[in-house]
Amino acid sequence: MSEIEIKLTQLSHGGGCGCKIAPALLQQILGVAAEKMSFPNLLVGTETSDDAAVYRLNDQQAVIATTDFFMPIVDDPFDFGRIAATNALSDVYAMGGTPIMALAIVGMPINKLPVEAIRAILQGGESVCRAAGIPLAGGHSIDAPEPIYGLVALGIVHPDRLKKNSDAMAGDVLILGKGLGVGIMAAALKKGALSEEGYTQLIANTTQLNTVGTALSGITAVHALTDVTGFGLLGHLLEMCRGAGLTGEVQFDQVPILPAALPLAQQGYGPGAIERNMESYGKDIHFAANLASWQQRLLADAQTSGGLLVSVAPEAVDEVLACFRQAGFEQAAVIGSMKNGVACVRVA
């Protein structure tokens, strides 16, 4: 951690992607989409709740545009900046793209935070952009009641290599790139119950760029791609199922879990976003009778800068897992499959 002693998490009512508006409420706010003008070059819009918008520039290039920002998930300013930036760039990788530039979104309570802390947050974001090989080329800042930081991220992808969240096919295998439990660990941190080793795991997980998404875009057998963030594994898989009109089946004992998160989950730690997510899923999630409450909650845990969720044809599973391993994602694992049926998720 940095030497700046400031409890960022005490300055905000929520943290990380747990700040997201719950899926059901978000749908009420957005309402029924009005009839839109025709934009034939808009390859991805709002229709399937995908990770980013995509606009075709020509036969060889499409631009990816996304934005993501939130309140602190950790107290250390530099780490907060790193996590927020990594999370924002993940949406570009989740479309199979390559980031090319970012802009900063900054809202800070300037009467509560010292300049050094604000500078450290921005420096954390800059360090991630450097690691991604892109410029942080500008941005916008305001005086806000709670600290907020994130990025507008721009990327590029060949239109034929674009990976949507809605193109899964029956028979596909589901692979998750990172372990679950970030929201649970962050909740424990806020209560002083997260160990030093747990904090190390939390930071390592949330600051690992999902660069593997760029490599996955070149695999034709990868049919659908998304990243797991504020709606939890169940919520983002459900979006994938709704987009494709398929049933997702998950085997709980195959789902990777961050080691320090497991005992905390069993003890009942977790953000309020878990309950909001569970209520939003409604009748579209079906749990096996033998699954404990903590297991169900863990699958709904709001992830910040979570792993990529891949729907891939069976014959390419080994190739996809090899891509994850080569990129340093040691916990990447097969967690289930996509089947014909109604759009829902079943967990055994």
Side-chain angles (χ1 to χ4, degrees):
M1 298 187 186
S2 78
E3 296 180 357
I4 300 172
E5 292 299 326
I6 185 74
K7 294 287 187 181
L8 288 179
T9 58
Q10 302 304 314
L11 297 177
S12 59
H13 73 278
C17 289
C19 298
K20 277 189 174 183
I21 296 174
L25 179 57
L26 181 60
Q27 186 59 47
Q28 292 178 32
I29 294 171
L30 296 177
V32 178
E35 184 177 348
K36 300 177 181 179
M37 294 176 63
S38 176
F39 293 97
N41 287 319
L42 182 63
L43 303 182
V44 180
T46 61
E47 296 79 11
T48 59
S49 303
D50 217 323
D51 299 292
V54 183
Y55 191 90
R56 179 170 47 208
L57 300 176
N58 51 55
D59 290 342
Q60 303 295 316
Q61 296 174 311
V63 65
I64 301 169
T66 182
T67 183
D68 213 316
F69 54 90
F70 46 63
M71 291 169 280
I73 187 175
V74 295
D75 290 318
D76 183 271
F78 187 76
D79 285 344
F80 169 44
R82 293 168 64 204
I83 293 168
T86 305
N87 179 77
L89 293 180
S90 182
D91 286 340
V92 174
Y93 295 121
M95 305 304 299
T98 301
I100 57 172
M101 185 176 71
L103 305 173
I105 299 170
V106 183
M108 294 292 156
I110 57 175
N111 61 330
K112 297 178 183 178
L113 274 180
V115 170
E116 293 79 6
I118 299 173
R119 183 183 301 122
I121 293 170
L122 272 59
Q123 289 172 338
E126 290 167 358
S127 73
V128 168
C129 289
R130 283 197 302 272
I134 64 171
L136 185 51
H140 184 65
S141 61
I142 63 168
D143 184 1
E146 297 178 296
I148 297 169
Y149 181 70
L151 300 179
V152 173
L154 299 176
I156 202 156
V157 67
H158 191 291
D160 295 339
R161 294 178 60 157
L162 171 65
K163 300 298 181 183
K164 303 178 184 179
N165 70 348
S166 58
D167 290 340
M169 298 179 65
D172 278 359
V173 173
L174 293 170
I175 296 174
L176 179 61
K178 291 184 181 181
L180 300 182
V182 168
I184 289 167
M185 295 166 75
L189 173 68
K190 200 165 185 176
K191 295 182 178 181
L194 185 65
S195 67
E196 185 175 340
E197 173 58 27
Y199 185 83
T200 299
Q201 290 177 23
L202 173 66
I203 298 303
N205 190 80
T206 53
T207 59
Q208 185 175 20
L209 285 163
N210 279 321
T211 53
V212 67
T214 305
L216 295 177
S217 73
I219 302 176
T220 303
V222 170
H223 297 141
L225 191 62
T226 191
D227 64 346
V228 177
T229 56
F231 299 156
L233 172 62
L234 295 178
H236 292 285
L237 176 54
L238 184 57
E239 288 179 340
M240 188 179 280
C241 293
R242 287 170 174 167
L246 298 172
T247 296
E249 295 186 351
V250 174
Q251 299 296 319
F252 180 84
D253 60 0
Q254 296 179 13
V255 175
I257 300 169
L258 292 167
L262 185 57
L264 295 170
Q266 293 169 333
Q267 294 169 44
Y269 285 98
I274 291 179
E275 279 68 36
R276 295 195 296 272
N277 284 341
M278 294 285 280
E279 291 174 4
S280 295
Y281 305 152
K283 60 181 176 57
D284 293 329
I285 306 293
H286 306 277
F287 295 107
N290 63 330
L291 282 180
S293 174
W294 70 266
Q295 293 173 308
Q296 298 177 24
R297 285 168 49 82
L298 200 154
L299 297 178
D301 182 35
Q303 304 304 289
T304 297
S305 191
L308 295 182
L309 179 63
V310 187
S311 184
V312 56
E315 64 269 18
V317 167
D318 290 344
E319 183 180 4
V320 169
L321 287 174
C323 285
F324 274 110
R325 299 285 183 262
Q326 290 167 10
F329 294 87
E330 297 301 324
Q331 281 197 287
V334 171
I335 65 167
S337 59
M338 300 293 279
K339 305 289 186 182
N340 285 314
V342 297
C344 70
V345 177
R346 301 185 183 277
V347 185

